[in-house]
């Protein structure tokens, strides 16, 4: 009920409730997250797309049009990892970006000045509440040299400042008198800070961040520098984590998934350590089909993976929402693929945009049902006195 308390307070007293939606390719491009964000912001207030990386790896044009100069260096924890990196300060996206290459502690900075930019513009496809934002926050750290940051609104210089070298997490923040939809950030210096994310938020209401990680099983939180994560989550005031993983484990068929249950349990515990007081809801994996004798059937091990996620969630005291059961359970994916119009793509794994809206609405319905039950309980309890 921690997040329900926060949602009730934000509607009555203001402030921000931040929800971080982590997941694999099933939420890539703001699929599912965008609908959940839209519904929550309509009910509790808020606007803006939330936290985004300096350099987008996936097409995010449905919710916001983001472009970055080509000289951003992106350092990732999983996938094509730079093994020369001497730390694990990857931040909430499990990556960070720099406009100059990361250096070892012994290496000297280049004496020349580099510059890089990022632009944000409204998307013609996004929900109306996502098109604008009322504050911008840059989360950065560990810059060996001072750097200049400039912000432009509608191509006019709004602010500029020089930020000194640092050995910790810093924040650059602007609050705008009116909601904005066109922003340009320019960074200049001999050495870049590590940029962990840029938050495009309201002044009050709900924020829902989309953090998609293609090919990931969700077992990376314990691999990120603990103090780095804690410092960033404190600045963001995160109240809820949605963890949507498991699909990338299914193709690896083994007898037991106790190992995955233990891995995932440790991830939830780490989240509770670096962000105490935040709630966690695990969203189980969707049905996935494999072709056998000309028919598409559910992977034989899928329910074992589903149970591993559920057991990990309950062991850690978290909520669990069974997406597999909600969409129809065993052998349900073909009915989504062959629906008219189709609701999933022909890999029999991923929802298409129409299907993502439907399954996200199912999750929202379940979530808000529990919230309404919570409010009814509070009302009944107060009436007794």
């Amino acid at each position: 009920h921690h997040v329900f308390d926060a949602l009730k307070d934000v509607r009555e007293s203001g402030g921000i409730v931040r929800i971080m939606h982590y997941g694999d390719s099933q939420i890539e491009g703001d699929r599912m997250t965008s609908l959940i964000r839209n519904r929550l912001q309509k009910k509790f207030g808020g606007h803006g797309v939330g936290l985004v990386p300096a350099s987008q790896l996936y097409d995010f044009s449905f919710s916001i049009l983001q472009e970055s100069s080509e000289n951003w260096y992106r350092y990732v924890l999983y996938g094509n990892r730079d093994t020369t990196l001497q730390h694990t300060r990857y931040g909430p996206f499990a990556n960070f970006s720099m406009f100059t290459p990361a250096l070892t502690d012994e290496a000297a900075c280049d004496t020349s000045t580099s510059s890089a930019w990022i632009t944000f513009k409204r998307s013609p496809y996004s929900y109306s509440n996502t098109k604008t934002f009322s504050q911008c926050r840059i989360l950065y750290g560990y810059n060996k040299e001072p750097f200049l940051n400039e912000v432009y609104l509608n191509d006019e210089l709004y602010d500029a400042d020089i930020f000194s070298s640092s050995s910790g997490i810093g924040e650059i923040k602007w609050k705008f008198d009116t909601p904005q939809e066109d922003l340009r950030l320019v960074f200049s210096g001999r050495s870049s800070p590590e940029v962990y994310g840029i938050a495009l938020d309201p002044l009050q209401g709900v924020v829902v961040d989309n953090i998609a990680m293609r090919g990931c099983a969700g077992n990376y939180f314990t691999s990120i520098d603990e103090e780095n994560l804690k410092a960033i989550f404190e600045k963001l005031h995160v109240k809820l984590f949605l963890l949507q993983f498991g699909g990338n484990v299914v193709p690896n068929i083994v007898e037991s998934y106790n190992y995955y249950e233990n891995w995932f349990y440790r991830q939830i515990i780490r989240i509770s350590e670096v962000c105490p007081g935040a709630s966690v809801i695990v969203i189980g994996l969707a049905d996935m089909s494999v072709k056998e004798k000309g028919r598409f059937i559910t992977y034989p091990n899928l329910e074992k993976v589903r149970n591993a996620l559920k057991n990990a969630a309950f062991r850690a005291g978290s909520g669990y929402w069974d997406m597999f059961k909600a969409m129809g359970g065993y052998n349900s994916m073909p009915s989504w693929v062959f629906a008219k119009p189709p609701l999933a793509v022909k890999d029999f794994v991923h929802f298409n945009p129409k299907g993502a809206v439907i399954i996200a609405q199912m999750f929202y319905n379940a979530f808000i049902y529990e919230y309404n039950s919570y409010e009814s309980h509070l009302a009944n309890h107060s009436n007794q006195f």
Side-chain angles (χ1 to χ4, degrees):
H1 285 172
H2 291 302
V3 68
F4 292 163
D5 291 338
L7 288 170
K8 184 174 182 293
D9 289 344
V10 79
R11 192 165 60 180
E12 296 175 355
S13 308
I16 285 182
V17 171
R18 173 162 250 107
I19 299 172
M20 286 189 151
H21 187 186
Y22 282 89
D24 51 29
S25 55
Q26 197 68 269
I27 70 167
E28 194 174 295
D30 215 22
R31 285 180 300 131
M32 290 189 65
T33 311
S34 58
L35 186 282
I36 296 168
R37 180 192 302 116
N38 180 57
R39 294 293 186 267
L40 288 172
Q41 289 181 338
K42 280 189 172 182
K43 183 172 181 64
F44 298 100
H47 56 276
V49 75
L51 192 69
V52 294
S55 178
Q56 279 282 6
L57 182 60
Y58 311 119
D59 181 13
F60 211 70
S61 60
F62 174 79
S63 294
I64 196 167
L65 302 180
Q66 178 179 350
E67 291 186 53
S68 304
S69 56
E70 296 182 355
N71 58 324
W72 283 99
Y73 297 83
R74 191 170 177 273
Y75 296 90
V76 298
L77 173 61
Y78 66 98
N80 188 22
R81 182 176 178 179
D82 187 339
T83 57
T84 66
L85 204 64
Q86 298 176 331
H87 65 79
T88 57
R89 298 188 299 263
Y90 290 97
F93 283 99
N95 69 61
F96 63 89
S97 298
M98 302 179 69
F99 61 83
T100 60
L103 301 174
T104 63
D105 290 338
E106 297 78 18
C109 295
D110 191 336
T111 56
S112 60
T113 298
S114 297
S115 182
W117 53 264
I118 307 166
T119 63
F120 300 99
K121 296 183 178 181
R122 66 181 293 174
S123 168
Y125 318 108
S126 64
Y127 294 108
S128 59
N129 48 294
T130 311
K131 293 181 186 293
T132 61
F133 48 90
S134 294
Q135 62 174 315
C136 174
R137 303 162 67 191
I138 303 172
L139 296 165
Y140 73 96
Y142 298 90
N143 49 303
K144 297 179 182 297
E145 296 277 338
F147 69 94
L148 170 67
N149 177 253
E150 301 166 278
V151 59
Y152 293 83
L153 299 178
N154 300 311
D155 295 325
E156 293 186 6
L157 182 64
Y158 175 80
D159 191 26
D161 207 347
I162 295 175
F163 297 88
S164 59
S165 57
S166 68
S167 57
I169 302 299
E171 178 183 14
I172 310 172
K173 184 175 182 178
W174 301 273
K175 293 183 178 181
F176 307 115
D177 294 334
T178 57
Q180 300 295 316
E181 58 184 41
D182 189 315
L183 177 74
R184 179 180 178 88
L185 300 171
V186 180
F187 300 80
S188 304
R190 295 191 301 178
S191 177
S192 172
E194 298 168 7
V195 181
Y196 304 111
I198 300 163
L200 304 174
D201 294 343
L203 297 179
Q204 67 177 56
V206 176
V207 181
V208 185
D209 307 320
N210 174 270
I211 305 178
M213 299 178 178
R214 185 188 299 180
C216 186
N219 57 340
Y220 53 83
F221 289 98
T222 51
S223 299
I224 301 175
D225 183 278
E226 187 173 352
E227 293 304 314
N228 178 275
L229 265 186
K230 188 172 185 178
I232 293 175
F233 287 154
E234 282 179 354
K235 288 184 178 295
L236 290 172
H237 303 292
V238 188
K239 298 298 183 182
L240 174 65
F241 292 86
L242 303 178
L243 306 181
Q244 185 174 339
F245 294 99
N248 292 297
V249 178
V250 172
N252 178 33
I253 299 177
V254 296
E255 182 62 28
S256 171
Y257 289 90
N258 287 338
Y259 79 93
Y260 187 52
E261 177 185 330
N262 292 329
W263 273 0
F264 209 80
Y265 168 77
R266 288 196 292 270
Q267 307 313 306
I268 301 174
I269 295 302
R270 174 54 61 86
I271 289 172
S272 68
E273 291 170 345
V274 297
C275 198
S279 302
V280 175
I281 297 175
V282 177
I283 297 177
L285 71 170
D287 186 34
M288 298 167 56
S289 302
V290 61
K291 197 169 187 179
E292 185 176 287
K293 296 181 180 179
R295 296 176 60 243
F296 287 97
I297 63 171
T298 297
Y299 270 86
N301 61 325
L302 187 141
E303 290 181 85
K304 290 183 178 180
V305 177
R306 186 271 306 268
N307 292 340
L309 287 167
K310 183 188 290 187
N311 293 342
F314 290 163
R315 280 173 59 193
S318 300
Y320 182 84
W321 186 67
D322 196 334
M323 183 161 60
F324 173 75
K325 188 175 180 180
M327 66 181 291
Y330 191 77
N331 283 351
S332 58
M333 181 55 82
S335 67
W336 288 66
V337 174
F338 297 122
K340 294 184 179 181
L343 303 175
V345 298
K346 291 186 177 180
D347 63 0
F348 290 82
V349 171
H350 296 94
F351 300 110
N352 64 17
K354 289 182 182 295
V357 165
I358 290 174
I359 200 68
Q361 182 67 54
M362 288 182 179
F363 171 78
Y364 174 78
N365 290 346
F367 180 86
I368 214 65
Y369 174 85
E370 297 294 344
Y371 177 81
N372 291 337
S373 298
Y374 151 87
E375 279 206 324
S376 296
H377 173 77
L378 289 181
N380 292 335
H381 184 73
S382 63
N383 289 336
Q384 293 175 4
F385 298 95

